[in-house]
Amino acid sequence: MAETPSRATLDALARLIAHPTVSRTANLALIAEVEAELRELGARTRRVTSDDGERANLVATFGPADRGGIALSGHSDVVPTEGQPWSSDPFGAVDDGARVYGRGACDMKGFLACCLAHARTLRDAAHTVPVHLVISYDEEVGCVGARQLVAELQHWAIAPRAVIVGEPTEMRVVTAHKGKLAARATAHGRACHSALAPRGVNAVTAASRLAAHIADAAAAKANEGPFDHGFPVPTTTLHAGVIRGGTALNIVPDQCELDFEIRNLPDEDATAILEAIKRHAREVIEPEMHAVAPESGFTWDASDAFPGLATDPESAVAQLAFQLAGSNAPAKVAFGTEAGVFARAGMPAVVCGPGSIEQAHKPDEFVAHAQLARCERFLERLAAHLAAS
């Protein structure tokens, strides 16, 4: 017989999905609802707000305040739905008895719903070890809220000693994931009539040459490594994804933007890879541009970055997660999470949550009932562990 989640989890998930918390839009209504619910159960709560005051992280704590505890962490934001062919309202949960459909059902309001449904049980078990429910904003656009939250947590007298990030892993315990650095290179050339093209500096051509170099660097990584075959893609990857430039065919374009990313193995330095790309532009591409127009060249903007995760499977947080998940097989994933942000700040972290990343960011996103039920069992085991501590 298939596992079935509690009515409390399904109801909490429907309430969370109803909040259209797309990244970079306000999440305060969701935060206020969750905070009120947890405060009613006796949680001590703290908000850390964005600079514009439109979004907030929430930390809700049960148990003693004088020692490190266990944090259950998830993000409140979801990716947009525009242009996707949904079969129903993406912000109205649809439950067919085996799956719950809705934006964020998998990534990652399913985990948050399980935590809310089991908050009373966790509260009652947190006699000697505190439990923190951590909800962040704008994870999908570069772990923005988590970075701000971690900066705040580092000022606490006692920060969490272990963090479990509930991204969708099908309840496998993930101890490693890649980092990411997204950047924009803007080529600045000199415009002229295309009939006099040699008198101008073609910014589209310069950006295209840089894109070709990035492709060559990607091929070198694929062929030469370093390799970690625990990952689905065993090397650091580079990818040029968007190029924008030019206004008309008979004008040599004077500006072109190239957006690219680096998804690095945890032990490779994405910043060093970016610096090598900049050096190629400076030493190979720009001299030819300067020969025609000394003012031409590239400017750079690193717009989005988060660190990789490399938690020792023998660490206390990993061993606890294996115990709670009923598995001792660590996994590695290609997608990034806030776990790397927590770990870099000295809070050991793993990733384990309901649902499959294959369903995330898609139309008709869903989480299976069986996955929610497995997450509930995980939290019940956590409560039993805390009660016995």
Side-chain angles (χ1 to χ4, degrees):
M1 182 177 177
E3 292 185 277
T4 303
S6 68
R7 185 73 256 164
T9 287
L10 294 173
D11 288 346
L13 180 53
R15 294 197 307 272
L16 292 172
I17 288 172
H19 290 279
T21 49
V22 175
S23 301
R24 295 197 176 101
T25 63
N27 73 339
L28 296 182
L30 181 151
I31 292 296
E33 180 179 312
V34 171
E35 183 175 31
E37 182 177 338
L38 295 172
R39 285 178 68 88
E40 187 173 341
L41 292 174
R44 303 184 303 279
T45 65
R46 181 183 300 191
R47 294 192 193 189
V48 180
T49 59
S50 60
D51 291 340
D52 62 8
E54 293 295 319
R55 297 172 300 288
N57 302 294
L58 176 69
V59 181
T61 301
F62 296 113
D66 61 349
R67 65 205 69 181
I70 296 170
L72 302 171
S73 178
H75 61 83
S76 62
D77 63 311
V78 298
V79 297
T81 61
E82 285 78 11
Q84 293 187 337
W86 282 75
S87 301
S88 59
D89 177 5
F91 298 107
V94 174
D95 188 340
D96 68 3
R99 299 170 172 175
V100 179
Y101 296 85
R103 175 56 86 220
C106 171
D107 186 14
M108 57 178 296
K109 292 178 176 179
F111 176 75
L112 294 177
C114 290
C115 291
L116 291 175
H118 288 74
R120 185 183 301 273
T121 302
L122 292 168
R123 177 202 66 184
D124 293 344
H127 301 300
T128 60
V129 179
V131 174
H132 311 280
L133 179 56
V134 179
I135 302 177
S136 64
Y137 70 87
D138 284 3
E139 183 270 352
E140 297 287 4
V141 290
C143 300
V144 177
R147 289 202 296 266
Q148 182 192 32
L149 177 62
V150 161
E152 174 75 13
L153 288 175
Q154 288 178 310
H155 294 301
W156 288 19
I158 301 173
R161 71 186 190 200
V163 182
I164 299 170
V165 177
E167 289 278 6
T169 67
E170 298 179 290
M171 295 308 299
R172 298 176 301 153
V173 178
V174 168
T175 57
H177 66 63
K178 291 183 177 181
K180 175 185 172 183
L181 191 159
R184 173 174 295 168
T186 302
H188 304 275
R190 176 186 285 175
C192 69
H193 195 291
S194 62
L196 304 173
R199 298 182 184 179
V201 174
N202 191 313
V204 168
T205 298
S208 298
R209 291 180 64 189
L210 185 65
H213 172 71
I214 290 169
D216 290 342
K221 289 290 184 187
N223 293 328
E224 301 166 14
F227 300 96
D228 184 337
H229 292 284
F231 286 97
V233 178
T235 61
T236 290
T237 59
L238 295 86
H239 159 72
V242 180
I243 191 166
R244 308 178 193 86
T247 56
L249 184 58
N250 60 354
I251 301 173
V252 171
D254 63 355
Q255 184 164 305
C256 185
E257 296 175 341
L258 176 68
D259 294 348
F260 62 97
E261 70 171 22
I262 302 161
R263 291 188 180 264
N264 54 294
L265 294 174
D267 57 357
E268 280 206 271
D269 184 355
T271 302
I273 296 171
L274 175 61
E275 289 304 315
I277 292 170
K278 291 182 178 181
R279 185 167 58 252
H280 177 85
R282 187 169 60 250
E283 296 177 355
V284 177
I285 304 174
E286 287 186 334
E288 295 181 20
M289 302 169 72
H290 293 163
V292 177
E295 73 279 9
S296 64
F298 285 90
T299 56
W300 306 84
D301 176 38
S303 59
D304 178 7
F306 55 78
L309 176 71
T311 298
D312 184 350
E314 298 300 319
S315 65
V317 64
Q319 290 298 308
L320 173 61
F322 294 145
Q323 175 188 339
L324 303 179
S327 169
N328 61 359
K332 299 180 179 182
V333 295
F335 62 89
T337 78
E338 293 170 334
V341 178
F342 286 109
R344 176 169 286 188
M347 290 169 260
V350 295
V351 188
C352 185
S356 168
I357 197 65
E358 293 293 330
Q359 303 306 325
H361 300 190
K362 293 182 177 180
D364 295 338
E365 176 184 347
F366 70 83
V367 64
H369 277 206
Q371 284 289 306
L372 295 172
R374 286 184 63 188
C375 186
E376 289 188 313
R377 302 296 86 76
F378 182 99
L379 294 173
E380 288 163 4
R381 294 185 191 110
L382 173 58
H385 170 81
L386 293 171
S389 297

